[in-house]
Amino acid sequence: YNLMFVPDEVNKISYATSFGVGAIPWYQLSRTCKYLQRIEHLSVREIKGAEIIRNIADRDAKVVCDPTLLLTKEEWANQIPTRRVVDGKYIFCYFLGKNEEHRKLAKMLKEKCGYKIICTPFLDSFVECDLTFGDEQLFDIGPDDFVNLIRHAEYILTDSFHGSVFSIIHNKQFLVLNRFSEGGQSRNSRIDSLCSLLGLEKRRFKDNIYSEMIEPIAYNTVEEKLSDLRSESIQFLKESLER
């Protein structure tokens, strides 16, 4: 993962890498610095990652967009044709975490809007409450189904980074719930950065599931910010590869 198997003279690039945590444990600091110094071109997907690299290795890393965001909505349509997986209006719940309160919030949203809940349970681990959660539980689905479930959903409720990413790509009404509690080992930073870079801080759930979900999203502004970030990210790749 750190390209330690690559000879020193070979050009090494990190693209949109993620530490996955808010801080590096003290006992890994020296090794992490050593690994980072060998990579000529460093980029990360979250602001916190750039701060970690600056503090550990005294180097500037470029904050770029996740690889999935390098493609536009139209380009994704060319890769994955549009089709309906589920009929009717629905709330797509894409949860990786175990928080039972998130399921309760989804049920509250359903009571307000009347849409059925579609979910994909047991993605990361077994969650007992998911045995009865949702109006339709989908198990046998692939990446194309995942993208199409987001495309056709009225609302998306998720604790997932890529659940958020594909909601943004397809200009959907969505809210993000924290999968992890805050702290040094929190993995929320990639979602924090995504929302901050694109001006979507209000899509982080606070206290009113329905009013926050239906609040309009200024996707024209979001698309402008995303287009700039996409261009900068592609430019980073070109310059790094042209070494």
mmCIF file of all heavy atoms in Angstrom, residues 164-200:
data_model
loop_
_atom_site.group_PDB
_atom_site.id
_atom_site.type_symbol
_atom_site.label_atom_id
_atom_site.label_comp_id
_atom_site.label_asym_id
_atom_site.label_seq_id
_atom_site.Cartn_x
_atom_site.Cartn_y
_atom_site.Cartn_z
ATOM 1 N N SER A 164 -22.669 8.972 -0.262
ATOM 2 C CA SER A 164 -22.748 10.428 -0.398
ATOM 3 C C SER A 164 -22.267 10.875 -1.780
ATOM 4 O O SER A 164 -22.892 11.717 -2.438
ATOM 5 C CB SER A 164 -21.905 11.103 0.693
ATOM 6 O OG SER A 164 -22.274 10.662 1.977
ATOM 7 N N VAL A 165 -21.153 10.315 -2.219
ATOM 8 C CA VAL A 165 -20.559 10.689 -3.506
ATOM 9 C C VAL A 165 -21.534 10.480 -4.659
ATOM 10 O O VAL A 165 -21.757 11.379 -5.487
ATOM 11 C CB VAL A 165 -19.260 9.884 -3.758
ATOM 12 C CG1 VAL A 165 -18.885 9.919 -5.235
ATOM 13 C CG2 VAL A 165 -18.127 10.431 -2.913
ATOM 14 N N PHE A 166 -22.143 9.299 -4.731
ATOM 15 C CA PHE A 166 -23.037 9.029 -5.857
ATOM 16 C C PHE A 166 -24.355 9.786 -5.747
ATOM 17 O O PHE A 166 -25.011 10.055 -6.763
ATOM 18 C CB PHE A 166 -23.254 7.524 -6.013
ATOM 19 C CG PHE A 166 -22.112 6.848 -6.728
ATOM 20 C CD1 PHE A 166 -21.085 6.250 -6.018
ATOM 21 C CD2 PHE A 166 -22.039 6.853 -8.116
ATOM 22 C CE1 PHE A 166 -20.021 5.660 -6.675
ATOM 23 C CE2 PHE A 166 -20.980 6.275 -8.789
ATOM 24 C CZ PHE A 166 -19.964 5.672 -8.064
ATOM 25 N N SER A 167 -24.739 10.163 -4.533
ATOM 26 C CA SER A 167 -25.898 11.032 -4.369
ATOM 27 C C SER A 167 -25.597 12.406 -4.960
ATOM 28 O O SER A 167 -26.445 13.004 -5.638
ATOM 29 C CB SER A 167 -26.256 11.168 -2.879
ATOM 30 O OG SER A 167 -26.643 9.938 -2.329
ATOM 31 N N ILE A 168 -24.391 12.895 -4.718
ATOM 32 C CA ILE A 168 -23.980 14.203 -5.252
ATOM 33 C C ILE A 168 -23.865 14.154 -6.768
ATOM 34 O O ILE A 168 -24.346 15.052 -7.473
ATOM 35 C CB ILE A 168 -22.639 14.633 -4.614
ATOM 36 C CG1 ILE A 168 -22.842 14.888 -3.112
ATOM 37 C CG2 ILE A 168 -22.075 15.863 -5.308
ATOM 38 C CD1 ILE A 168 -21.547 15.007 -2.329
ATOM 39 N N ILE A 169 -23.230 13.119 -7.281
ATOM 40 C CA ILE A 169 -23.067 12.987 -8.733
ATOM 41 C C ILE A 169 -24.419 13.052 -9.434
ATOM 42 O O ILE A 169 -24.566 13.677 -10.492
ATOM 43 C CB ILE A 169 -22.343 11.672 -9.087
ATOM 44 C CG1 ILE A 169 -20.876 11.738 -8.672
ATOM 45 C CG2 ILE A 169 -22.465 11.357 -10.587
ATOM 46 C CD1 ILE A 169 -20.138 10.419 -8.796
ATOM 47 N N HIS A 170 -25.437 12.441 -8.822
ATOM 48 C CA HIS A 170 -26.745 12.367 -9.457
ATOM 49 C C HIS A 170 -27.730 13.399 -8.928
ATOM 50 O O HIS A 170 -28.943 13.309 -9.167
ATOM 51 C CB HIS A 170 -27.304 10.952 -9.313
ATOM 52 C CG HIS A 170 -26.517 9.940 -10.090
ATOM 53 N ND1 HIS A 170 -25.511 9.184 -9.533
ATOM 54 C CD2 HIS A 170 -26.554 9.594 -11.405
ATOM 55 C CE1 HIS A 170 -24.961 8.419 -10.467
ATOM 56 N NE2 HIS A 170 -25.575 8.642 -11.607
ATOM 57 N N ASN A 171 -27.183 14.413 -8.224
ATOM 58 C CA ASN A 171 -27.989 15.564 -7.786
ATOM 59 C C ASN A 171 -29.220 15.168 -6.993
ATOM 60 O O ASN A 171 -30.328 15.657 -7.233
ATOM 61 C CB ASN A 171 -28.413 16.407 -8.999
ATOM 62 C CG ASN A 171 -27.262 17.077 -9.716
ATOM 63 O OD1 ASN A 171 -27.478 17.784 -10.692
ATOM 64 N ND2 ASN A 171 -26.041 16.864 -9.273
ATOM 65 N N LYS A 172 -29.022 14.287 -6.024
ATOM 66 C CA LYS A 172 -30.135 13.763 -5.235
ATOM 67 C C LYS A 172 -30.287 14.498 -3.896
ATOM 68 O O LYS A 172 -29.347 15.098 -3.392
ATOM 69 C CB LYS A 172 -29.941 12.269 -4.962
ATOM 70 C CG LYS A 172 -29.699 11.411 -6.184
ATOM 71 C CD LYS A 172 -30.828 11.489 -7.192
ATOM 72 C CE LYS A 172 -32.131 10.911 -6.668
ATOM 73 N NZ LYS A 172 -33.166 10.813 -7.713
ATOM 74 N N GLN A 173 -31.495 14.419 -3.345
ATOM 75 C CA GLN A 173 -31.732 14.889 -1.983
ATOM 76 C C GLN A 173 -31.217 13.807 -1.030
ATOM 77 O O GLN A 173 -31.712 12.682 -1.049
ATOM 78 C CB GLN A 173 -33.217 15.129 -1.753
ATOM 79 C CG GLN A 173 -33.787 16.330 -2.480
ATOM 80 C CD GLN A 173 -33.243 17.653 -1.960
ATOM 81 O OE1 GLN A 173 -32.761 18.483 -2.742
ATOM 82 N NE2 GLN A 173 -33.296 17.862 -0.664
ATOM 83 N N PHE A 174 -30.227 14.148 -0.213
ATOM 84 C CA PHE A 174 -29.623 13.138 0.669
ATOM 85 C C PHE A 174 -29.214 13.770 1.990
ATOM 86 O O PHE A 174 -29.060 14.988 2.108
ATOM 87 C CB PHE A 174 -28.403 12.506 -0.001
ATOM 88 C CG PHE A 174 -27.182 13.404 -0.029
ATOM 89 C CD1 PHE A 174 -26.138 13.205 0.867
ATOM 90 C CD2 PHE A 174 -27.070 14.443 -0.952
ATOM 91 C CE1 PHE A 174 -25.017 14.022 0.854
ATOM 92 C CE2 PHE A 174 -25.956 15.270 -0.973
ATOM 93 C CZ PHE A 174 -24.928 15.051 -0.072
ATOM 94 N N LEU A 175 -29.055 12.920 3.000
ATOM 95 C CA LEU A 175 -28.493 13.329 4.282
ATOM 96 C C LEU A 175 -27.462 12.296 4.712
ATOM 97 O O LEU A 175 -27.630 11.102 4.466
ATOM 98 C CB LEU A 175 -29.577 13.438 5.357
ATOM 99 C CG LEU A 175 -30.402 14.727 5.415
ATOM 100 C CD1 LEU A 175 -31.451 14.617 6.506
ATOM 101 C CD2 LEU A 175 -29.519 15.952 5.647
ATOM 102 N N VAL A 176 -26.401 12.788 5.366
ATOM 103 C CA VAL A 176 -25.339 11.912 5.833
ATOM 104 C C VAL A 176 -25.390 11.825 7.356
ATOM 105 O O VAL A 176 -25.466 12.843 8.048
ATOM 106 C CB VAL A 176 -23.948 12.432 5.420
ATOM 107 C CG1 VAL A 176 -22.882 11.392 5.738
ATOM 108 C CG2 VAL A 176 -23.922 12.785 3.945
ATOM 109 N N LEU A 177 -25.359 10.609 7.863
ATOM 110 C CA LEU A 177 -25.301 10.351 9.291
ATOM 111 C C LEU A 177 -23.889 9.914 9.658
ATOM 112 O O LEU A 177 -23.208 9.272 8.852
ATOM 113 C CB LEU A 177 -26.299 9.250 9.668
ATOM 114 C CG LEU A 177 -27.750 9.519 9.250
ATOM 115 C CD1 LEU A 177 -28.568 8.233 9.343
ATOM 116 C CD2 LEU A 177 -28.370 10.599 10.110
ATOM 117 N N ASN A 178 -23.425 10.256 10.838
ATOM 118 C CA ASN A 178 -22.074 9.875 11.257
ATOM 119 C C ASN A 178 -22.009 8.386 11.572
ATOM 120 O O ASN A 178 -22.705 7.909 12.470
ATOM 121 C CB ASN A 178 -21.640 10.674 12.486
ATOM 122 C CG ASN A 178 -21.073 12.032 12.113
ATOM 123 O OD1 ASN A 178 -20.742 12.280 10.959
ATOM 124 N ND2 ASN A 178 -20.971 12.908 13.087
ATOM 125 N N ARG A 179 -21.188 7.694 10.853
ATOM 126 C CA ARG A 179 -21.000 6.265 11.114
ATOM 127 C C ARG A 179 -20.173 6.042 12.372
ATOM 128 O O ARG A 179 -20.366 5.079 13.095
ATOM 129 C CB ARG A 179 -20.316 5.619 9.902
ATOM 130 C CG ARG A 179 -20.106 4.117 10.042
ATOM 131 C CD ARG A 179 -19.383 3.578 8.832
ATOM 132 N NE ARG A 179 -19.016 2.179 8.997
ATOM 133 C CZ ARG A 179 -18.126 1.545 8.248
ATOM 134 N NH1 ARG A 179 -17.524 2.181 7.266
ATOM 135 N NH2 ARG A 179 -17.842 0.273 8.458
ATOM 136 N N PHE A 180 -19.223 6.967 12.623
ATOM 137 C CA PHE A 180 -18.316 6.822 13.760
ATOM 138 C C PHE A 180 -18.474 7.993 14.717
ATOM 139 O O PHE A 180 -18.813 9.105 14.301
ATOM 140 C CB PHE A 180 -16.854 6.774 13.274
ATOM 141 C CG PHE A 180 -16.571 5.658 12.316
ATOM 142 C CD1 PHE A 180 -16.632 5.866 10.945
ATOM 143 C CD2 PHE A 180 -16.254 4.394 12.782
ATOM 144 C CE1 PHE A 180 -16.375 4.844 10.056
ATOM 145 C CE2 PHE A 180 -15.991 3.356 11.897
ATOM 146 C CZ PHE A 180 -16.056 3.581 10.531
ATOM 147 N N SER A 181 -18.212 7.762 15.996
ATOM 148 C CA SER A 181 -18.171 8.851 16.959
ATOM 149 C C SER A 181 -16.907 9.662 16.708
ATOM 150 O O SER A 181 -15.910 9.144 16.192
ATOM 151 C CB SER A 181 -18.182 8.306 18.390
ATOM 152 O OG SER A 181 -17.085 7.429 18.595
ATOM 153 N N GLU A 182 -16.948 10.947 17.051
ATOM 154 C CA GLU A 182 -15.806 11.810 16.791
ATOM 155 C C GLU A 182 -14.634 11.438 17.698
ATOM 156 O O GLU A 182 -14.808 10.940 18.806
ATOM 157 C CB GLU A 182 -16.188 13.270 17.008
ATOM 158 C CG GLU A 182 -17.250 13.777 16.021
ATOM 159 C CD GLU A 182 -16.794 13.726 14.581
ATOM 160 O OE1 GLU A 182 -15.565 13.757 14.341
ATOM 161 O OE2 GLU A 182 -17.652 13.639 13.693
ATOM 162 N N GLY A 183 -13.414 11.713 17.206
ATOM 163 C CA GLY A 183 -12.212 11.389 17.987
ATOM 164 C C GLY A 183 -11.057 11.095 17.058
ATOM 165 O O GLY A 183 -11.193 11.126 15.831
ATOM 166 N N GLY A 184 -9.902 10.767 17.639
ATOM 167 C CA GLY A 184 -8.697 10.546 16.842
ATOM 168 C C GLY A 184 -8.826 9.420 15.847
ATOM 169 O O GLY A 184 -8.221 9.455 14.780
ATOM 170 N N GLN A 185 -9.608 8.390 16.172
ATOM 171 C CA GLN A 185 -9.750 7.258 15.271
ATOM 172 C C GLN A 185 -11.037 7.323 14.449
ATOM 173 O O GLN A 185 -11.438 6.346 13.833
ATOM 174 C CB GLN A 185 -9.712 5.959 16.092
ATOM 175 C CG GLN A 185 -8.386 5.731 16.802
ATOM 176 C CD GLN A 185 -7.194 5.819 15.871
ATOM 177 O OE1 GLN A 185 -7.140 5.144 14.848
ATOM 178 N NE2 GLN A 185 -6.236 6.664 16.197
ATOM 179 N N SER A 186 -11.692 8.484 14.454
ATOM 180 C CA SER A 186 -12.908 8.659 13.663
ATOM 181 C C SER A 186 -12.578 8.569 12.178
ATOM 182 O O SER A 186 -11.524 9.011 11.729
ATOM 183 C CB SER A 186 -13.524 10.031 13.956
ATOM 184 O OG SER A 186 -14.511 10.353 12.994
ATOM 185 N N ARG A 187 -13.499 8.006 11.411
ATOM 186 C CA ARG A 187 -13.320 7.930 9.961
ATOM 187 C C ARG A 187 -14.288 8.853 9.233
ATOM 188 O O ARG A 187 -14.602 8.656 8.063
ATOM 189 C CB ARG A 187 -13.513 6.484 9.496
ATOM 190 C CG ARG A 187 -12.487 5.525 10.102
ATOM 191 C CD ARG A 187 -12.673 4.116 9.588
ATOM 192 N NE ARG A 187 -11.761 3.191 10.243
ATOM 193 C CZ ARG A 187 -11.719 1.887 10.002
ATOM 194 N NH1 ARG A 187 -12.551 1.352 9.135
ATOM 195 N NH2 ARG A 187 -10.872 1.114 10.646
ATOM 196 N N ASN A 188 -14.772 9.871 9.956
ATOM 197 C CA ASN A 188 -15.722 10.801 9.353
ATOM 198 C C ASN A 188 -15.043 11.868 8.503
ATOM 199 O O ASN A 188 -15.718 12.606 7.787
ATOM 200 C CB ASN A 188 -16.547 11.499 10.449
ATOM 201 C CG ASN A 188 -17.372 10.521 11.279
ATOM 202 O OD1 ASN A 188 -17.892 9.547 10.759
ATOM 203 N ND2 ASN A 188 -17.480 10.799 12.568
ATOM 204 N N SER A 189 -13.712 11.977 8.572
ATOM 205 C CA SER A 189 -13.027 13.120 7.967
ATOM 206 C C SER A 189 -13.188 13.176 6.454
ATOM 207 O O SER A 189 -13.247 14.258 5.874
ATOM 208 C CB SER A 189 -11.538 13.110 8.339
ATOM 209 O OG SER A 189 -10.888 11.963 7.848
ATOM 210 N N ARG A 190 -13.278 12.025 5.791
ATOM 211 C CA ARG A 190 -13.426 12.054 4.333
ATOM 212 C C ARG A 190 -14.786 12.638 3.934
ATOM 213 O O ARG A 190 -14.896 13.346 2.936
ATOM 214 C CB ARG A 190 -13.215 10.669 3.729
ATOM 215 C CG ARG A 190 -14.232 9.630 4.115
ATOM 216 C CD ARG A 190 -13.884 8.266 3.554
ATOM 217 N NE ARG A 190 -12.712 7.710 4.197
ATOM 218 C CZ ARG A 190 -12.187 6.535 3.894
ATOM 219 N NH1 ARG A 190 -12.721 5.797 2.949
ATOM 220 N NH2 ARG A 190 -11.128 6.082 4.523
ATOM 221 N N ILE A 191 -15.824 12.356 4.735
ATOM 222 C CA ILE A 191 -17.136 12.941 4.473
ATOM 223 C C ILE A 191 -17.137 14.412 4.861
ATOM 224 O O ILE A 191 -17.737 15.247 4.165
ATOM 225 C CB ILE A 191 -18.245 12.168 5.214
ATOM 226 C CG1 ILE A 191 -18.346 10.740 4.658
ATOM 227 C CG2 ILE A 191 -19.590 12.874 5.071
ATOM 228 C CD1 ILE A 191 -19.371 9.868 5.344
ATOM 229 N N ASP A 192 -16.443 14.753 5.956
ATOM 230 C CA ASP A 192 -16.309 16.160 6.348
ATOM 231 C C ASP A 192 -15.715 16.966 5.196
ATOM 232 O O ASP A 192 -16.218 18.040 4.845
ATOM 233 C CB ASP A 192 -15.393 16.288 7.575
ATOM 234 C CG ASP A 192 -16.001 15.687 8.828
ATOM 235 O OD1 ASP A 192 -17.231 15.548 8.884
ATOM 236 O OD2 ASP A 192 -15.236 15.356 9.751
ATOM 237 N N SER A 193 -14.646 16.460 4.616
ATOM 238 C CA SER A 193 -13.969 17.168 3.527
ATOM 239 C C SER A 193 -14.853 17.267 2.295
ATOM 240 O O SER A 193 -14.931 18.318 1.649
ATOM 241 C CB SER A 193 -12.662 16.466 3.155
ATOM 242 O OG SER A 193 -11.698 16.637 4.156
ATOM 243 N N LEU A 194 -15.521 16.174 1.950
ATOM 244 C CA LEU A 194 -16.396 16.166 0.780
ATOM 245 C C LEU A 194 -17.445 17.265 0.897
ATOM 246 O O LEU A 194 -17.637 18.058 -0.038
ATOM 247 C CB LEU A 194 -17.075 14.794 0.663
ATOM 248 C CG LEU A 194 -18.070 14.618 -0.490
ATOM 249 C CD1 LEU A 194 -17.337 14.616 -1.825
ATOM 250 C CD2 LEU A 194 -18.852 13.318 -0.307
ATOM 251 N N CYS A 195 -18.094 17.341 2.040
ATOM 252 C CA CYS A 195 -19.146 18.340 2.242
ATOM 253 C C CYS A 195 -18.564 19.751 2.280
ATOM 254 O O CYS A 195 -19.151 20.690 1.728
ATOM 255 C CB CYS A 195 -19.913 18.046 3.527
ATOM 256 S SG CYS A 195 -20.916 16.541 3.455
ATOM 257 N N SER A 196 -17.409 19.907 2.914
ATOM 258 C CA SER A 196 -16.781 21.222 3.018
ATOM 259 C C SER A 196 -16.327 21.742 1.655
ATOM 260 O O SER A 196 -16.576 22.897 1.293
ATOM 261 C CB SER A 196 -15.590 21.150 3.967
ATOM 262 O OG SER A 196 -14.906 22.382 4.028
ATOM 263 N N LEU A 197 -15.669 20.889 0.881
ATOM 264 C CA LEU A 197 -15.154 21.310 -0.430
ATOM 265 C C LEU A 197 -16.257 21.686 -1.398
ATOM 266 O O LEU A 197 -16.071 22.540 -2.271
ATOM 267 C CB LEU A 197 -14.303 20.184 -1.032
ATOM 268 C CG LEU A 197 -12.962 19.905 -0.342
ATOM 269 C CD1 LEU A 197 -12.373 18.595 -0.842
ATOM 270 C CD2 LEU A 197 -11.991 21.049 -0.578
ATOM 271 N N LEU A 198 -17.428 21.059 -1.250
ATOM 272 C CA LEU A 198 -18.526 21.291 -2.205
ATOM 273 C C LEU A 198 -19.642 22.159 -1.620
ATOM 274 O O LEU A 198 -20.680 22.337 -2.250
ATOM 275 C CB LEU A 198 -19.103 19.947 -2.669
ATOM 276 C CG LEU A 198 -18.108 19.015 -3.368
ATOM 277 C CD1 LEU A 198 -18.798 17.730 -3.805
ATOM 278 C CD2 LEU A 198 -17.452 19.698 -4.573
ATOM 279 N N GLY A 199 -19.425 22.702 -0.429
ATOM 280 C CA GLY A 199 -20.425 23.568 0.174
ATOM 281 C C GLY A 199 -21.686 22.844 0.590
ATOM 282 O O GLY A 199 -22.788 23.395 0.511
ATOM 283 N N LEU A 200 -21.541 21.610 1.066
ATOM 284 C CA LEU A 200 -22.693 20.783 1.411
ATOM 285 C C LEU A 200 -22.745 20.465 2.909
ATOM 286 O O LEU A 200 -23.267 19.424 3.313
ATOM 287 C CB LEU A 200 -22.648 19.480 0.603
ATOM 288 C CG LEU A 200 -22.949 19.616 -0.889
ATOM 289 C CD1 LEU A 200 -22.566 18.345 -1.628
ATOM 290 C CD2 LEU A 200 -24.421 19.941 -1.118
#
